[in-house]
Amino acid sequence: MATLEDIHSPFDGAVVGQVPVSTLADVNDAIGNAVKGAELWRRTPAHVRSAIMLKAAQLADDRQELIAQIISSENGKSLVEARGEASRSGEIIRLGAFEGSQLYGTTLPLDANKGTGLEKLGFTIRQPVGVVVAISPFNYPALLVLHKLAPALGSGNSVVLKPARATPLTAIAIAQCFYDAGLPEGVLTVLTGSGTLLGDALVSDSRVRKVSFTGSTSTGTHIASIAGIKKLSLELGSSCPVVVLDDADIELAAEAVSLGGYINAGQVCISVQRVIVHEKVMADFLSALKPKVEAIKIGDPKSEATKVGTLISQAEAKRVEACIAQAVKDGGKLLTGGERSGTLIKPAIVSNVDPRSSFAQDELFGPAIAVSSATSTKEAIDLANSTAYGLGAGVFTKNVDLAIQSAREVDAGIVHINWTPLWRADLMPYGGLKASGIGKEGVRSAVEEMTEVKTIILHGRTW
Ligand code: NAP
């Protein structure tokens, strides 16, 4: 009998569920079953896979409210935000069903190669890689699991999923939609338990052909060092900048930052962490932003009035509180927020932040933004590019020349003009540069990364 562990609400510590604590023996069994599952699933015609996926999507739609309640209970995000997250589940699965059935190849003009005639025929086919290990973080326990499961299963792979230890119940509820839709045995296994204990065995196993990881840059770096020869997608940390140029629509920029810096208590890889404002519009920007941030209602995640809920744990809330205090010690000015009550932190704005300080450079993953000033567009873009990361960025300007120049010059995998990085359509390519990772998610891109191209040459004879 497996040992069980309790899963707690970050808001009040209540036990909200129990899951098995998987062992290294379970990892070995799960990968063994996934090898058999992959053999079966890759030989299943795409239209049959697609029909099962579409059933799973319908079940995810039907269970939206249940999934939202589970997300909010174990993650601490407000029910309002959890409902938004859960509502995307069915659509992501449908995208996976579609993109996974579009595995096209190309024909090869072999006769263009000197010495080769028309007696040969060459083409490529795209096939699933086999066993995919998917490892996900706590902050979007449905969305980030689905961005791995939907493309992997849609394109004919089997998956061993290791969700974050803090948020396994959502992953199980989502997996249940696939099981109830008729996914064959071995095609999807969820392993709950500790990443530190199970991670190395999962990612270094040579039967695994692809690791799709979303989490911190430090864990991603470790995975890259031990994974061996297999495909890797690493969606990692960030310190996303927003640049407000002197011709920007200040009201729009303030509105967008008041959302993008604080949604999910700032625990989003594409959260606004740094705002670099042209000095000419700094005063206007801060006076537009402050009341909007102060209006964000935090509290009990299950209350319909709460906009933003808790951080994932007491330890994380204390860490973020200490980072804000340090930023102030280092010369920053706390304009509002920062007070902690248990796992809740009042949304904070720290202005006058030295852009080279740790508060700007290192990932905060909490509900606070660092505001710094720039004297020119060039300086603002240089500052935006000054961290180790490069996931998302936003630039506010009404000038089309500056918009084009910024889009080209900002070192980020996703650049938004006149919005913040906190925006995502599930079909768009999504992934970071520099220490923010390698590879792209977004269902079509993920299907590409979870499949391999095989070249086929038919050798005929000249008539
Ligand atoms: P984390 O500590 O790196 O954990 C992520 C996952 O990795 C969890 O399932 C964790 O399991 C597992 N893990 C831990 N040690 C491992 C090991 N040695 N080998 C394999 N897996 C291991 O990250 P987190 O705190 O959950 O999430 C926050 C981070 O994720 C932030 O840095 C954020 O920016 C990043 N993130 C990035 C994106 C993106 O798209 N770029 C999206 C969301 C989040 P346990 O929970 O059991 O430790």
Side-chain angles (χ1 to χ4, degrees), residues 263-283:
I263 282 176
N264 207 26
Q267 302 167 113
V268 195
C269 53
I270 45 175
S271 192
V272 179
Q273 180 169 335
R274 297 174 291 142
V275 187
I276 300 148
V277 185
H278 195 287
E279 60 180 4
K280 278 194 206 156
V281 291
M282 177 65 89

Side-chain angles (χ1 to χ4, degrees), residues 135-140 144 162-167 193-200 202-203 213-220 222-223 226 234-238 267-270 312 316 363 365 389 391 424 430-432 436-437 441:
I135 302 178
S136 53
F138 70 83
N139 61 331
Y140 280 87
L144 299 176
K162 211 307 276 173
R165 192 166 197 177
T167 56
S194 153
T196 320
L197 184 77
L198 309 175
D200 286 12
L202 276 168
V203 305
F213 172 79
T214 303
S216 62
T217 296
S218 63
T219 309
H222 174 70
I223 289 174
I226 63 160
L234 302 173
E235 301 285 341
L236 308 177
S238 63
Q267 302 167 113
V268 195
C269 53
I270 45 175
I312 191 67
E316 275 297 285
E363 183 173 48
F365 229 54
Y389 299 110
L391 182 55
R424 178 176 191 178
Y430 181 98
S436 291
E441 283 199 344

Side-chain angles (χ1 to χ4, degrees), residues 141-416:
L143 193 72
L144 299 176
V145 160
L146 283 159
H147 267 289
K148 300 184 186 313
L149 296 191
L153 298 175
S155 58
N157 299 286
S158 67
V159 180
V160 178
L161 169 68
K162 211 307 276 173
R165 192 166 197 177
T167 56
L169 302 172
T170 309
I172 291 170
I174 283 166
Q176 198 60 50
C177 296
F178 288 97
Y179 299 145
D180 293 346
L183 195 74
E185 213 186 309
V187 178
L188 171 61
T189 305
V190 183
L191 283 180
T192 49
S194 153
T196 320
L197 184 77
L198 309 175
D200 286 12
L202 276 168
V203 305
S204 62
D205 194 299
S206 59
R207 294 170 293 177
V208 173
R209 288 295 300 145
K210 158 100 193 166
V211 174
S212 174
F213 172 79
T214 303
S216 62
T217 296
S218 63
T219 309
T221 306
H222 174 70
I223 289 174
S225 74
I226 63 160
I229 300 173
K230 52 177 64 86
K231 294 183 108 185
L232 275 186
S233 294
L234 302 173
E235 301 285 341
L236 308 177
S238 63
S239 168
C240 294
V242 160
V243 171
V244 182
L245 295 178
D246 58 359
D247 70 327
D249 179 334
I250 297 299
E251 189 53 32
L252 177 72
E255 174 66 25
V257 169
S258 74
L259 296 168
Y262 305 97
I263 282 176
N264 207 26
Q267 302 167 113
V268 195
C269 53
I270 45 175
S271 192
V272 179
Q273 180 169 335
R274 297 174 291 142
V275 187
I276 300 148
V277 185
H278 195 287
E279 60 180 4
K280 278 194 206 156
V281 291
M282 177 65 89
D284 290 349
F285 174 72
L286 290 177
S287 50
L289 179 66
K290 191 164 169 265
K292 296 185 198 311
V293 172
E294 286 172 344
I296 298 170
K297 173 110 181 56
I298 62 166
D300 181 348
K302 291 290 170 74
S303 155
E304 298 286 342
T306 297
K307 196 152 174 225
V308 170
T310 70
L311 278 90
I312 191 67
S313 65
Q314 187 86 235
E316 275 297 285
K318 284 184 178 164
R319 180 188 61 76
V320 171
E321 181 186 32
C323 287
I324 296 171
Q326 187 60 46
V328 173
K329 263 196 207 148
D330 292 344
K333 191 172 164 212
L334 185 61
L335 290 189
T336 186
E339 303 86 356
R340 182 178 68 83
S341 160
T343 47
L344 291 168
I345 291 195
K346 245 180 127 194
I349 305 172
V350 187
S351 66
N352 201 35
V353 171
D354 176 353
R356 319 244 163 232
S357 69
S358 155
F359 195 61
Q361 293 285 317
D362 303 328
E363 183 173 48
L364 179 69
F365 229 54
I369 58 163
V371 183
S372 313
S373 72
T375 53
S376 66
T377 301
K378 163 100 178 62
E379 188 194 3
I381 303 289
D382 286 349
L383 287 177
N385 290 343
S386 71
T387 73
Y389 299 110
L391 182 55
V395 179
F396 285 84
T397 177
K398 289 185 199 141
N399 180 322
V400 75
D401 298 333
L402 293 179
I404 292 169
Q405 197 182 326
S406 309
R408 290 194 192 282
E409 294 300 325
V410 172
D411 292 336
I414 312 147
V415 180
H416 296 263

